[in-house]
Amino acid sequence: MAPPITNRPLRPEVLEAYQQHLHKEAARRSLFGETRPIITTQFQGHNFVVVGNEIHWGKWKTFTDFLVDHLKGALGGDWGNAELAKPLERRHVILQWHAAFATMQARFTPGPDGITSGEPDGPSFAFLSLAYDLYVLKDHVRLRNRLLHRLRDPEDFQGTRYEVYVAAALIRGGFSVEPVDESDGSVRHVDFIATHKATAAQIAVEAKSRRLPGVLGRDGVPPDDGAFRLDIRGLIADAIEKPAALPYAVFVEANMPPAYAVREKERWYQDAAGALKLAEAKANPDGTSSDRRIGLLVVTNVPLHYGEPGQEVPPNEFLILKPDTCARPVDAVLIEAIHRGTHVSHRIPQQELPVVSDSVVP
């Protein structure tokens, strides 16, 4: 028989420790969103890190060290080694970013604890961002092997990387994310169904990334900053064609050169709003709102791949547009959650892992 429960007051030191935990957790969420805290411990000379329903162990000094190993393991050592055997310019974009990350680390001198620290550049931060976004997904969602296969495929990489970014941003905003089964090729599908944990409200989500010559592993010459124009009408029109019974949020990566995105902010805001109106008008020629399908358009610009080695990380930009009328509008509470998750999507925890003693042998 279980002992009776008594309402004894907590000791002051216990209550103080609990309050400190609440404050630390609130501070963590304000920085990194509604992700699970990093679950890690040290035992018998190894660090243990929990990711979803998996336990990983190794001798990492920092969470960054773990992220690098976790990404390599997720993508596969054989695939990574095969890419490393190629000349740098012919490697997959991920391995080019990895080379930039290694070069960045070599620029800094390790401290007395052996930990190297410094400000990353665009390509090295692109590598770390992919590693962290994939960790966030795996920590909250059962990843399908098909997603990892698409990340390894140079042709599918750009679109898949953006899907990973969007899913991780939604998780940061307080959503659970369920990828849609796309095995039936005869029917078009949205990418995710996202459920807002606080309200249980659901939205359908589509993620699309604008492809440009000479960018993210594509052949050709990158667009000249002075001649660049934002044109996302085709991506929006394609998203409209996908059936969505739920309120529908469409994310579009504009892939703009960072200087243009900052300098011409007012212009591309207008271009994005105009593209949404034109695409909706084409899909609804009678002008009624009964079949207007997009309840929210989120235009992002995550230009890390435009960054130069050794230079500052170029800034992210994003714009959220809500149509005036829509058959299934996205609720304001969900819009705020999407805003929050997108706003913190460039942040990566930089904590040290528990100290491992090399003298302890398992």
Side-chain angles (χ1 to χ4, degrees):
M1 183 175 179
I5 299 174
T6 58
N7 294 321
R8 287 181 289 181
L10 292 173
R11 295 200 304 267
E13 61 271 23
V14 174
L15 183 59
E16 181 181 358
Y18 177 65
Q19 293 293 341
Q20 289 178 353
H21 168 75
L22 291 180
H23 288 311
K24 287 177 64 177
E25 180 62 8
R28 185 191 67 81
R29 290 186 174 187
S30 70
L31 284 174
F32 306 113
E34 300 299 317
T35 55
R36 294 201 310 173
I38 300 167
I39 302 174
T40 180
T41 191
Q42 184 268 329
F43 179 69
Q44 291 192 345
H46 286 75
N47 289 117
F48 290 78
V49 180
V50 176
V51 187
N53 62 349
E54 299 178 352
I55 298 178
H56 300 256
W57 61 89
K59 292 191 175 183
W60 310 290
K61 292 183 178 180
T62 66
F63 184 57
T64 298
D65 295 337
F66 165 74
L67 286 178
V68 172
D69 271 5
H70 180 256
L71 178 60
K72 291 178 180 178
L75 294 175
D78 291 343
W79 175 80
N81 290 332
E83 288 295 321
L84 288 173
K86 300 176 183 177
L88 179 61
E89 66 277 5
R90 291 181 53 203
R91 292 177 195 169
H92 191 286
V93 172
I94 296 175
L95 273 299
Q96 293 179 11
W97 289 346
H98 176 262
F101 174 75
T103 301
M104 180 271 295
Q105 283 190 311
R107 289 200 302 267
F108 304 110
T109 303
D113 54 4
I115 295 176
T116 301
S117 62
E119 292 296 324
D121 51 28
S124 58
F125 197 66
F127 179 73
L128 290 178
S129 293
L130 171 60
Y132 182 59
D133 285 351
L134 203 62
Y135 159 85
V136 169
L137 254 67
K138 202 170 181 181
D139 200 35
H140 296 79
V141 182
R142 284 185 177 273
L143 284 188
R144 296 189 174 122
N145 288 331
R146 184 169 181 269
L147 183 141
L148 297 173
H149 174 77
R150 290 170 57 208
L151 277 176
R152 292 189 289 261
D153 186 336
E155 185 61 29
D156 282 346
F157 169 71
Q158 180 177 339
T160 308
R161 170 64 186 105
Y162 190 55
E163 289 177 26
V164 170
Y165 167 86
V166 171
L170 289 168
I171 291 168
R172 289 172 169 110
F175 292 85
S176 61
V177 174
E178 182 63 30
V180 174
D181 184 1
E182 298 180 356
S183 58
D184 182 1
S186 65
V187 180
R188 302 197 72 193
H189 306 275
V190 297
D191 292 321
F192 313 108
I193 301 298
T195 303
H196 188 234
K197 294 179 181 178
T199 65
Q202 291 186 314
I203 55 174
V205 180
E206 178 73 5
K208 292 192 168 297
S209 180
R210 186 184 183 199
R211 299 189 175 199
L212 295 171
V215 180
L216 286 171
R218 300 190 68 80
D219 293 334
V221 179
D224 178 74
D225 175 77
F228 187 87
R229 294 293 179 270
L230 178 64
D231 185 0
I232 55 175
R233 289 173 295 177
L235 296 177
I236 298 173
D238 185 72
I240 289 175
E241 294 302 315
K242 294 194 174 184
L246 295 168
Y248 190 21
V250 175
F251 286 71
V252 174
E253 167 57 29
N255 205 0
M256 294 181 281
Y260 176 88
V262 173
R263 185 183 69 245
E264 302 291 346
K265 185 175 294 188
E266 186 64 31
R267 176 168 188 160
W268 70 260
Y269 277 17
Q270 294 174 357
D271 289 345
L276 177 59
K277 289 182 179 179
L278 287 171
E280 286 282 15
K282 185 176 180 180
N284 303 280
D286 61 357
T288 65
S289 63
S290 60
D291 197 36
R292 287 183 179 163
R293 302 170 195 173
I294 295 181
L296 196 70
L297 176 66
V298 183
V299 182
T300 63
N301 198 61
V302 187
L304 302 178
H305 49 281
Y306 282 101
E308 296 293 335
Q311 302 299 314
E312 290 185 357
V313 174
N316 291 4
E317 303 280 349
F318 71 93
L319 169 68
I320 296 180
L321 292 168
K322 181 180 180 181
D324 295 332
T325 56
C326 177
R328 292 173 293 275
V330 177
D331 186 80
V333 174
L334 276 62
I335 295 175
E336 175 57 33
I338 291 170
H339 182 281
R340 182 186 177 204
T342 308
H343 178 70
V344 301
S345 62
H346 65 289
R347 296 174 182 166
I348 303 174
Q350 300 293 314
Q351 78 178 58
E352 296 182 20
L353 297 181
V355 175
V356 172
S357 173
D358 290 333
S359 62
V360 180
V361 179

